[in-house]
Amino acid sequence: YKDLWTADIEYMKQLGVNTIRLYAVDPSKNHDAFMCALQQAGIYVMVGLLASCENCGIGPNEPPSCYPDSLKQRGQYIINEFSKYSNTLGFDAGNEVTLHSSDIEKELNAPCQKKFIRDMRTYINTCSNVTGTILPRQVPIGLANWDYARELQSTYFVCEETDPLEAPDWYGMNVYLHCDPAAVTQDDLA
């Protein structure tokens, strides 16, 4: 996709973009040229660990079925591949995961999100403390959640109940508010 991202990076540079989020990366592909081009443009990257493919994300059901066995290996694979780039700012262990819960009000899959964060933080901590490790540096792991019950969700996800590794290193929210709601038309929403 070099022909696509080369132009996109130029547009981002013109806009003064300094950070982007990547979703659903394929860790089996070589990303050297892309990441190097971003670095040369002064752009940092938040790399997503989940994807929409089968068993590549936190599922909609309650634990333990919401955390597929293969997800842990996928996350570790992405961490191995992207921690080598100095412009990898962080890993995104979930994007609006609780929005896809089979019962949104109860957010049944939230405990699986915390367990996945724990597993990824444990992996980074363990590998980073070993001489000659495959990971050249520790990169923070966090999540972005949807704009619902802000205080409740942020309290739940950053709370260190029993295991401090279940709390993310960073927590973000995809905010769906407009500064001037009157300025939004139906055409904007289509």
Side-chain angles (χ1 to χ4, degrees):
Y1 299 106
K2 186 175 182 179
D3 55 326
L4 297 174
W5 57 255
T6 301
D8 290 344
I9 290 173
E10 284 305 313
Y11 294 135
M12 287 187 271
K13 281 174 39 180
Q14 292 171 18
L15 292 169
V17 171
N18 67 357
T19 307
I20 63 169
R21 280 174 68 192
L22 294 180
Y23 297 87
V25 298
D26 181 348
S28 70
K29 305 286 187 212
N30 185 307
H31 296 86
D32 291 350
F34 177 66
M35 292 298 288
C36 183
L38 288 170
Q39 182 176 1
Q40 289 173 344
I43 298 174
Y44 290 90
V45 182
M46 302 290 287
V47 182
L49 300 176
L50 307 181
S52 58
C53 53
E54 186 174 346
N55 295 322
C56 296
I58 303 297
N61 303 316
E62 57 190 305
S65 66
C66 54
Y67 187 172
D69 294 334
S70 60
L71 183 56
K72 185 175 180 179
Q73 288 78 34
R74 175 186 167 74
Q76 291 172 346
Y77 191 8
I78 293 170
I79 289 168
N80 291 346
E81 293 302 312
F82 282 87
S83 63
K84 66 185 176 187
Y85 303 115
S86 61
N87 58 329
T88 298
L89 183 62
F91 291 110
D92 186 351
N95 180 53
E96 301 183 339
V97 168
T98 57
L99 174 63
H100 304 290
S101 175
S102 59
D103 185 342
I104 293 176
E105 292 298 318
K106 294 183 180 176
E107 299 181 343
L108 297 175
N109 61 355
C112 288
Q113 176 71 81
K114 287 184 88 164
K115 298 300 182 203
F116 181 61
I117 290 168
R118 178 206 59 207
D119 289 348
M120 296 303 98
R121 288 188 67 205
T122 299
Y123 180 70
I124 284 180
N125 289 344
T126 301
C127 290
S128 297
N129 293 325
V130 175
T131 305
T133 182
I134 57 173
L135 299 181
R137 65 189 181 94
Q138 286 191 333
V139 178
I141 295 182
L143 75 143
N145 220 336
W146 62 304
D147 196 3
Y148 170 77
R150 290 179 180 183
E151 188 173 332
L152 179 64
Q153 286 199 70
S154 62
T155 299
Y156 175 77
F157 281 109
V158 300
C159 178
E160 297 178 9
E161 293 174 9
T162 57
D163 187 344
L165 292 175
E166 287 185 351
D169 294 315
W170 59 269
Y171 178 82
M173 184 168 291
N174 296 326
V175 180
Y176 300 106
L177 298 175
H178 297 277
C179 295
D180 180 4
V184 179
T185 67
Q186 285 300 107
D187 291 336
D188 294 330
L189 301 174

